[in-house]
């Protein structure tokens, strides 16, 4: 006789997904995704309300994205130890707690604690949803699958800034976090009622790699702290810069030695990088943080400080960015499945550079239609980067390495985003200094910021040359 859990196991045939479960997991991912874009729109308001600086307040974004990235390997391990459904429920409750703490915050320290809890929970929710959906699809039609998984990424830039701007206008920035509560509650109810159990894999149970995890935490935390401290007075030789920087370097070298000597223990196996497509994808996802997370941090600040837009109008402007992403997303997956990722990504990166550079020269007098057009075109290019890279990261991989590949790519994307945010905040802070920022100072700060984004995006073309190309069969 079947137990209740046995009857709820997914039984989708190869290449198909349980669409009900997929839609539930998309809803589950909406809260973490919306939270990021809503918070970006409120950074300037939070900065003023808590009497903070750009360098300090960037941790509201960086701490969230860094915690998210560092929690991803924990999710990869836990999915083999616990029921996927139970793990999803625990992560959602943790995100709910983090949202409450962030909403109740009356100072930067309390806000950062809440953001770290939120980020850690999101770092489990997002890759877990992806992994479970890949299991349902059984490795088939990955370009289409990445388009489905990426739906929250599309709607977040469209809904997040607008909703966030309205919440700040009519209530306060605290509601940027309180609004998560009803979304999480609804998602929890649906997960409990309809999501398959996804039993753990007893054959893959193993102790968690605490040594590797500690080295990875030290690597990326040290790097972000070094960047942030350097921006305070632009002096590289200070102990506050060198110490975390050297810690990051030591942790990187330590992890490479450790993973090479004990490959079976390693959290992120080095053998993943024997696959050229995967290596290129991981590097690109790390670098894409500058174009995606970094740009979403800089754009709201630019629109509110240089263009003097209200939070609501800033959100309205950013709808153009999300609309551009929505237009291309439905076709990018199909094109990638047919032709491969290489030229889709290269063309999109070139377009991203071309649409970013004008923002370095935009001023308060620049026509609104021109800014909206550039935002829309920028959105068109972004879907052509993330979807093909994510799908190509699984090309030619041993199916047994898919969980580790998912962990590595998600870490690369999110940690790259946190580092990009820290770098851009450092650029802005370096130009503005500790004095009251004048119009000229802000113009210089955002000129350098968007040039950094454009250059970083252009450099990403190099690893894109190693992505896959498919030859279409001739009838």
């Amino acid at each position: 006789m079947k137990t209740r859990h046995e009857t709820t196991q997914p039984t989708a045939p190869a290449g198909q997904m349980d669409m009900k479960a997929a839609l539930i997991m998309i809803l589950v991912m909406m809260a973490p995704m919306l939270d990021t874009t809503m918070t970006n729109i409120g950074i300037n308001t939070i900065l003023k309300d808590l009497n903070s600086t750009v360098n300090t307040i960037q941790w509201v974004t960086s701490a969230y994205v860094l915690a998210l990235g560092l929690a991803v390997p924990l999710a990869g391990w836990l999915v083999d130890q616990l029921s996927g459904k139970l793990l999803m429920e625990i992560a959602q409750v943790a995100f709910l707690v983090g949202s409450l703490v962030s909403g109740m915050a009356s100072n930067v320290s309390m806000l950062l604690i809440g953001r770290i809890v939120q980020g850690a929970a999101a770092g489990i929710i997002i890759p877990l949803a992806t992994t479970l959906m890949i299991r349902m699809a059984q490795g088939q039609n990955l370009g289409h699958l990445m388009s489905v998984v990426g739906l929250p990424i599309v709607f977040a830039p469209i809904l997040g800034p607008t909703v966030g701007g309205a919440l700040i206008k009519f209530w306060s920035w605290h509601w940027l976090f309180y609004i998560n509560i009803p979304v999480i509650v609804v998602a929890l109810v649906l997960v409990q009622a309809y999501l398959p159990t996804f039993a753990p894999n007893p054959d893959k149970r193993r102790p968690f790699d605490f040594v590797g995890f500690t080295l990875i935490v030290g690597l990326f935390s040290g790097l972000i702290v070094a960047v942030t401290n350097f921006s305070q007075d632009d002096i590289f030789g200070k102990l506050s810069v060198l110490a975390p920087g050297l810690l990051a370097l030591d942790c990187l070298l330590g992890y490479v030695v450790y993973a090479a000597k004990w490959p079976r223990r390693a959290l992120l196996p080095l053998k993943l990088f024997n696959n050229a497509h995967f290596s290129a994808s991981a590097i690109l996802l790390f670098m894409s943080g500058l174009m995606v997370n970094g740009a979403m941090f800089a754009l709201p600040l630019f629109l509110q400080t240089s263009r003097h837009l209200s939070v609501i109008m800033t959100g309205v402007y950013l709808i153009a960015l999300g609309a551009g992403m929505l237009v291309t997303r439905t076709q990018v997956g199909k094109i990638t499945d047919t032709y491969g990722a290489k030229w889709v990504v290269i063309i999109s990166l070139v377009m991203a550079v071309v649409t970013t550079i004008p923002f370095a020269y935009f001023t308060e007098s620049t026509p609104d239609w021109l800014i909206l057009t550039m935002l829309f075109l920028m959105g068109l290019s972004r879907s052509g980067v993330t979807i093909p890279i994510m799908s190509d990261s699984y090309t030619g991989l041993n199916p047994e390495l898919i969980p580790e590949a998912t962990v590595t790519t998600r870490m690369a994307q999110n940690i790259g985003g946190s580092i990009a945010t820290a770098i851009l905040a450092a650029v802005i802070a370096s130009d503005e200094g500790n004095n009251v920022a004048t119009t000229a100072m802000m113009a210089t700060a955002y000129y350098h910021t968007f040039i950094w984004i454009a250059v970083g995006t252009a450099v990403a073309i190099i690893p894109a040359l190693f992505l896959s190309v498919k030859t279409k069969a001739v009838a």
Side-chain angles (χ1 to χ4, degrees):
M1 183 176 180
K2 291 183 178 180
T3 65
R4 178 178 177 272
H5 281 186
E6 287 174 326
T7 59
T8 57
Q9 290 297 313
T11 57
Q16 296 184 21
M17 291 183 291
D18 180 340
M19 290 308 298
K20 181 188 291 185
L23 290 172
I24 290 172
M25 284 189 280
I26 288 172
L27 177 62
V28 166
M29 289 190 288
M30 282 300 291
M33 293 292 188
L34 280 172
D35 190 81
T36 302
T37 53
M38 287 194 299
T39 303
N40 283 334
I41 204 74
I43 285 293
N44 196 50
T45 304
I46 298 171
L47 182 154
K48 294 177 180 177
D49 189 54
L50 298 181
N51 297 315
S52 187
T53 63
V54 171
N55 237 358
T56 300
I57 212 66
Q58 65 89 12
W59 281 102
V60 173
T61 298
S62 290
Y64 175 87
V65 182
L66 180 62
L68 191 159
L70 293 176
V72 168
L74 180 61
W77 176 75
L78 285 173
V79 73
D80 292 323
Q81 320 302 314
L82 300 173
S83 154
K85 179 175 181 175
L86 175 61
L87 182 57
M88 187 69 80
E89 291 169 342
I90 293 172
Q92 284 182 284
V93 171
F95 193 86
L96 179 64
V97 172
S99 297
L100 283 169
V101 173
S102 299
M104 296 168 61
S106 57
N107 54 65
V108 174
S109 298
M110 186 175 178
L111 180 57
L112 289 181
I113 291 172
R115 293 293 284 163
I116 290 170
V117 174
Q118 278 187 302
I124 294 175
I125 290 171
I126 297 173
L128 176 60
T130 304
T131 298
L132 297 183
M133 291 174 74
I134 289 173
R135 284 186 183 180
M136 285 189 287
Q138 300 183 33
Q140 302 298 312
N141 299 317
L142 292 176
H144 173 65
L145 175 60
M146 288 302 112
S147 296
V148 175
V149 172
L151 283 175
I153 303 175
V154 172
F155 288 109
I158 296 174
L159 297 177
T162 309
V163 173
L167 290 172
I168 294 172
K169 174 69 175 179
F170 297 108
W171 285 287
S172 70
W173 63 262
H174 300 274
W175 281 92
L176 295 173
F177 307 106
Y178 289 145
I179 195 64
N180 291 328
I181 297 172
V183 178
I184 298 169
V185 170
V186 171
L188 264 173
V189 171
L190 293 175
V191 166
Q192 175 59 37
Y194 299 110
L195 194 69
T197 301
F198 295 104
N201 187 349
D203 297 330
K204 298 187 70 175
R205 287 183 175 175
R206 59 174 181 170
F208 185 66
D209 180 17
F210 285 104
V211 174
F213 181 72
T214 301
L215 290 170
I216 290 171
V217 171
L219 163 61
F220 294 111
S221 300
L223 184 57
I224 291 178
V225 171
V227 170
T228 303
N229 289 345
F230 171 73
S231 68
Q232 292 179 356
D233 48 23
D234 296 338
I235 299 177
F236 180 77
K238 289 181 62 177
L239 182 62
S240 61
V241 177
L242 290 177
L246 291 174
L247 172 65
L249 180 60
D250 289 343
C251 288
L252 172 61
L253 296 175
Y255 185 82
V256 171
V257 172
Y258 169 76
K261 191 169 183 179
W262 292 285
R264 292 185 176 274
R265 300 183 193 174
L267 191 62
L268 306 178
L270 295 182
K271 62 182 177 181
L272 278 171
F273 297 93
N274 293 334
N275 183 304
H277 299 317
F278 178 84
S279 298
S281 297
I283 293 170
L284 277 165
L285 286 169
F286 184 86
M287 297 182 71
S288 73
L290 193 62
M291 186 178 75
V292 181
N293 297 73
M296 286 306 296
F297 172 77
L299 281 170
L301 284 173
F302 165 75
L303 292 172
Q304 291 178 56
T305 56
S306 291
R307 297 283 297 181
H308 305 295
L309 296 181
S310 67
V311 286
I312 289 185
M313 285 308 299
T314 299
V316 171
Y317 269 57
L318 292 177
I319 289 176
L321 181 71
M325 293 176 65
L326 186 60
V327 167
T328 51
R329 180 164 294 269
T330 54
Q331 297 302 317
V332 164
K334 296 177 183 178
I335 296 172
T336 302
D337 285 336
T338 303
Y339 298 102
K342 179 178 177 179
W343 292 110
V344 177
V345 173
I346 290 175
I347 292 170
S348 298
L349 287 172
V350 171
M351 186 175 178
V353 173
V354 171
T355 56
T356 299
I357 290 176
F359 283 91
Y361 298 94
F362 286 162
T363 65
E364 189 175 357
S365 60
T366 302
D368 292 339
W369 67 266
L370 183 56
I371 293 178
L372 291 169
T373 300
M374 286 298 108
L375 285 170
F376 178 76
L377 294 175
M378 184 185 290
L380 292 178
S381 67
R382 288 175 65 175
S383 291
V385 174
T386 52
I387 292 174
I389 294 173
M390 287 298 294
S391 63
D392 209 50
S393 64
Y394 299 104
T395 300
L397 273 185
N398 185 325
E400 294 181 356
L401 291 175
I402 284 179
E404 288 83 359
T406 301
V407 167
T408 306
T409 52
R410 287 297 181 183
M411 280 190 68
Q413 185 177 26
N414 288 289
I415 293 176
S418 65
I419 292 174
T421 301
I423 290 173
L424 295 183
V427 171
I428 295 171
S430 177
D431 285 320
E432 289 186 353
N434 297 319
N435 301 316
V436 177
T438 64
T439 301
M441 291 166 60
M442 287 191 295
T444 302
Y446 289 107
Y447 167 82
H448 289 146
T449 298
F450 288 111
I451 290 297
W452 270 76
I453 295 173
V455 170
T457 304
V459 171
I461 294 174
I462 297 173
L465 295 172
F466 295 91
L467 297 176
S468 68
V469 177
K470 296 180 182 179
T471 303
K472 191 174 181 180
V474 179

